[in-house]
Amino acid sequence: PHRWFTHFYVVSVLWNGFLLIQLFRAEFLGESLPSWIQDMHHALGRDSQSEDIGKYSEHFSALLVLLLLWLHSCRRLAECLWTSVFSSGVIHIVQYCFGLGYYIAVGTTVLCQVPTNVRNGKELSVQICWYHIIGVMMYIWASLHQHRCLAILANLRKSGSGKVVSLSHGVPFGDWFESVSCPHYFAELLIYVSMAITLGMHNVTWWCVVMYVLFNQALAAVLCHEFYQKNFSSYPKHRKAFIPLV
């Protein structure tokens, strides 16, 4: 069932919350990462990273991005539980399993951006850079718009009192829906771009994650856009599928 999308965010909140705690303790309390995490780093070649690459500012960037990812998962879980109204459709079991694996892998990807010997017993220097500020501001901006758009979609199936009265599709209006058919997908892309900025914009690994999100969300948006055009004859012709003006 579509409502099982909630499971993705339950897993993400628990797993990425655990990783966040482990990294925080390693960064600020001088504790060692669990041995199995160090083994994972070794398998990915991160323990051979030079100190020049693993600067303390990058450690803080990774910690900040892992925090943003966890907060994103918490918000999406809350929206799945109390805002969204899922249809009676289903998802493929392969898609379901892949989604669970994705949210485990994406947090692990962030953690693997710092070397295993996180700080070598030295005190972490928390240096807030300009890209941290820009990244967090963009994250907040995109998250607010995504929440608004998801609320607009949910309200199409609710009465004025908030009671669910229908599971059918309708044409949404307001916020970024005036420009694109799937602004919540566009906001998702912006959220991941904001994390790339927070990492300093030079992390190739995370830009690969951004590219995955781009193609994944774009495909879903095009299919949704075609559905709207096919089923609603009066659907606004100026709306694009995914990215405004594109």
Side-chain angles (χ1 to χ4, degrees), residues 162-200:
K163 181 180 179 181
V164 177
V165 295
S166 173
L167 294 180
S168 61
H169 295 277
V171 179
F173 292 92
D175 206 82
W176 287 355
F177 279 110
E178 300 303 321
S179 300
V180 294
S181 295
C182 300
H184 48 306
Y185 295 158
F186 178 53
E188 184 82 1
L189 173 63
L190 293 181
I191 287 171
Y192 278 84
V193 170
S194 73
M195 295 181 189
I197 294 174
T198 304
L199 283 171

Side-chain angles (χ1 to χ4, degrees), residues 126-146:
V126 178
Q127 182 177 359
I128 298 178
C129 302
W130 62 269
Y131 49 82
H132 294 150
I133 298 174
I134 294 178
V136 171
M137 290 179 63
M138 183 177 179
Y139 170 88
I140 295 173
W141 174 65
S143 297
L144 287 174
H145 279 285
Q146 187 178 56

Side-chain angles (χ1 to χ4, degrees), residues 41-63:
H41 277 72
H42 177 72
L44 296 174
R46 294 299 290 179
D47 58 340
S48 61
Q49 184 184 49
S50 68
E51 184 63 27
D52 290 337
I53 299 176
K55 294 178 181 178
Y56 296 134
S57 61
E58 295 192 5
H59 295 178
F60 178 68
S61 297
L63 182 67

Side-chain angles (χ1 to χ4, degrees), residues 51 56 116-123:
E51 184 63 27
Y56 296 134
T116 51
N117 54 345
V118 178
R119 60 172 210 175
N120 289 325
K122 299 178 182 179
E123 184 178 355

Side-chain angles (χ1 to χ4, degrees), residues 76 79 82-87 144-159 162-178 180-187 217 220-221 224-225 227-228 232 235 239 241:
R76 291 294 293 119
E79 289 166 344
W82 297 297
T83 301
S84 299
V85 180
F86 295 102
S87 68
L144 287 174
H145 279 285
Q146 187 178 56
H147 176 73
R148 291 173 185 170
C149 292
L150 290 171
I152 290 172
L153 286 175
N155 289 335
L156 291 175
R157 297 175 174 177
K158 296 179 181 179
S159 64
K163 181 180 179 181
V164 177
V165 295
S166 173
L167 294 180
S168 61
H169 295 277
V171 179
F173 292 92
D175 206 82
W176 287 355
F177 279 110
E178 300 303 321
V180 294
S181 295
C182 300
H184 48 306
Y185 295 158
F186 178 53
Q217 300 295 293
C224 186
H225 183 66
F227 173 86
Y228 281 131
F232 300 97
Y235 191 73
R239 289 189 190 180

